[in-house]
Amino acid sequence: MKGFTATLLVCMLLGGSPGGAWPTHLACRSGGLEVFYQSCDPLQDFGLSIDECSRELKPNLSIRFGLILREDIRQLFLDVTLVSKGVSVLNFSYPICEEDFPKFSFCGRRKGEQIYFAGPVNNPAFDILQGEYEILLQLYNENHSTVACANATVLCS
């Protein structure tokens, strides 16, 4: 939690990446699995941590996520692309906030407000095979404006 809070504080104080790229953050490390991420949004970094770092991905993964909104989010969508050995192996989109079906308490928040989420996220359960994987995560609103994006690296030994 300490690193997560520090990352969020840096995001709020700096308001932009001074060197053109945000630092790489450690989301989790345990038992032969490491997950790193870097914001790909040139204007803002964010905080993310994964509570249970395991090669056996559980169906309800506990995470913590925080950022300050630059856009309203009446609707919010997540696009995920998984790349292994330079080949895209998985692409999916997931509605997080829909106007008629808000799944989280932060749905409907306005520009300038803070999102902080700590809890489980639904995901498929599977074993992470040995290797290195790249994941592109992009959150965007109903106007296709970027709310947050990250390039993540998963190392499994």
Side-chain angles (χ1 to χ4, degrees):
M1 181 70 176
K2 186 177 180 181
F4 175 81
T5 304
T7 300
L8 189 58
L9 182 60
V10 167
C11 292
M12 291 187 290
L13 293 176
L14 292 179
S17 174
W22 292 103
T24 299
H25 305 288
L26 177 66
C28 74
R29 176 186 288 150
S30 179
L33 183 69
E34 296 177 299
V35 179
F36 301 92
Y37 73 95
Q38 181 180 39
S39 175
C40 50
D41 183 339
L43 299 177
Q44 140 173 320
D45 201 359
F46 61 90
L48 170 70
S49 66
I50 302 170
D51 292 345
E52 302 157 17
C53 196
S54 171
R55 293 175 60 167
E56 298 172 0
L57 190 62
K58 307 280 189 231
N60 287 308
L61 187 65
S62 292
I63 68 163
R64 298 171 209 216
F65 176 79
L67 75 108
I68 297 174
L69 291 172
R70 292 186 299 116
E71 302 285 341
D72 294 348
I73 54 168
R74 287 193 331 264
Q75 296 181 49
L76 186 64
F77 305 92
L78 172 65
D79 284 355
V80 177
T81 302
L82 173 65
V83 177
S84 176
K85 299 178 183 173
V87 177
S88 177
V89 294
L90 175 69
N91 290 295
F92 73 88
S93 294
Y94 181 76
I96 293 175
C97 298
E98 297 174 282
E99 286 188 83
D100 297 332
F101 190 57
K103 295 179 178 119
F104 297 97
S105 62
F106 55 78
C107 295
R109 295 265 172 102
R110 301 282 187 183
K111 179 179 179 175
E113 293 183 318
Q114 179 182 352
I115 288 179
Y116 176 73
F117 174 79
V121 291
N122 254 342
N123 54 274
F126 60 90
D127 290 343
I128 301 171
L129 301 176
Q130 184 175 350
E132 181 174 330
Y133 306 94
E134 301 298 320
I135 303 172
L136 174 61
L137 302 151
Q138 186 167 15
L139 283 170
Y140 58 93
N141 70 5
E142 65 278 2
N143 299 321
H144 295 281
S145 297
T146 298
V147 173
C149 70
N151 292 311
T153 300
V154 177
L155 303 173
C156 187
S157 57

